[in-house]
Amino acid sequence: MPPEPVTPTAPRPIGRTVFTQGWADLAFLHWAVDPALVAPHLPPGTRPDTLDGASYVGLIPFRMRRIGFLGLPGLPYLGSFAETNVRLYSVDEQGRRGVVFSSLEADRLLPVLAARWVARLPYTFAKMAVDKDGDRITYTSRRRWPGPRGAHSRIAVRLGEPIADPAPLERFLTARWGLHRGFLGRTAYWPNEHPEWPLHRAALVELSEDLTAAAGVPVTGEPDSVLWSPGVGVRFGPWTR
């Protein structure tokens, strides 16, 4: 089945809310890559999602805010932490576009353990910081557990003007309404929905990282796209297989 259209809001209702999150102060760094680099890292039943023949590796630092479960208020401490993920772009046999997480750094140990055990997501525990100074925001991360210990990133961006009408690539990289993950030889799809992204231009000021290499999808050179967003509130529905 061909991929569904890229839409600024979720193309289908998620139904029952399983949990909620807030995503804040996000930087989106993306590199165009050959889909053949991505394909071996995707779960069964999915293939690289592409735009104009290229797939993408994303490096995305942000602040997680107040994870909540089953309609309960979000947790102010355990549910709030810095995070940086390496993600790939996927489409399944039903045409649903999504992301696949190669790694997710977080600086709160208990959520890391819970996500690894319950959701089977590749979270790692890291020492992290997000610092804002005027229109410059700096994200740092150094992995503690599990290895490779010391895998790191330091990303600084300077915030620019709001984007009134995102270009097709900007939509493709940010308007993602689910994640694919392998589980016991099968693939689960976990849908989400949130308001349309408020996106800004951003200039890369500093970049040092080996998280993409640690995840098996190394990138080099300047990213092909740098964006920033103040964030959105997110709802996740039940996953399907």
Side-chain angles (χ1 to χ4, degrees):
M1 184 177 293
E4 63 192 1
V6 177
T7 55
T9 55
R12 69 192 72 82
I14 64 167
R16 178 170 59 93
T17 299
V18 175
F19 67 92
T20 57
Q21 299 178 348
W23 298 339
D25 293 329
L26 301 93
F28 296 91
L29 278 62
H30 285 94
W31 289 260
V33 297
D34 188 323
L37 174 70
V38 171
H41 300 275
L42 302 184
T46 67
R47 62 187 186 275
D49 198 5
T50 62
L51 182 67
D52 297 329
S55 196
Y56 286 81
V57 173
L59 180 63
I60 300 159
F62 66 102
R63 303 180 198 262
M64 180 74 78
R65 285 289 178 259
R66 301 181 72 96
I67 297 174
F69 299 91
L70 303 175
L72 297 174
L75 302 172
Y77 176 74
L78 288 177
S80 299
F81 45 86
E83 181 171 324
T84 298
N85 62 60
V86 175
R87 75 185 195 185
L88 312 175
Y89 291 81
S90 52
V91 60
D92 63 25
E93 293 167 346
Q94 297 181 46
R96 296 174 299 190
R97 299 179 187 268
V99 300
V100 172
F101 289 111
S102 293
S103 67
L104 306 100
E105 319 289 305
D107 70 347
R108 196 79 76 223
L109 180 58
L110 188 57
V112 165
L113 296 175
R116 290 177 68 89
W117 180 53
V118 177
R120 299 296 195 269
L121 290 172
Y123 267 91
T124 64
F125 181 43
K127 181 179 180 180
M128 307 182 76
V130 181
D131 299 302
K132 210 167 185 179
D133 182 10
D135 64 353
R136 173 175 169 145
I137 185 164
T138 303
Y139 311 83
T140 57
S141 178
R142 185 165 294 275
R143 189 175 298 178
R144 292 174 168 176
W145 176 88
R149 187 177 174 88
H152 78 285
S153 65
R154 181 176 175 85
I155 301 163
V157 298
R158 194 171 303 282
L159 311 186
E161 295 297 316
I163 301 173
D165 184 19
L169 176 60
E170 293 159 350
R171 289 272 194 225
F172 177 86
L173 296 174
T174 59
R176 294 280 142 175
W177 307 111
L179 68 91
H180 294 107
R181 66 173 184 83
F183 183 73
L184 298 177
R186 303 175 69 186
T187 297
Y189 179 76
W190 205 344
N192 70 72
E193 64 179 27
H194 57 72
E196 182 176 351
W197 281 108
L199 295 173
H200 288 243
R201 307 275 176 215
L204 185 65
V205 176
E206 184 178 354
L207 174 63
S208 172
E209 69 88 19
D210 58 9
L211 295 182
T212 57
V217 285
V219 295
T220 57
E222 296 286 305
D224 296 283
S225 173
V226 182
L227 302 168
W228 186 84
S229 176
V232 292
V234 189
R235 298 191 307 128
F236 280 82
W239 65 50
T240 60
R241 296 182 182 175

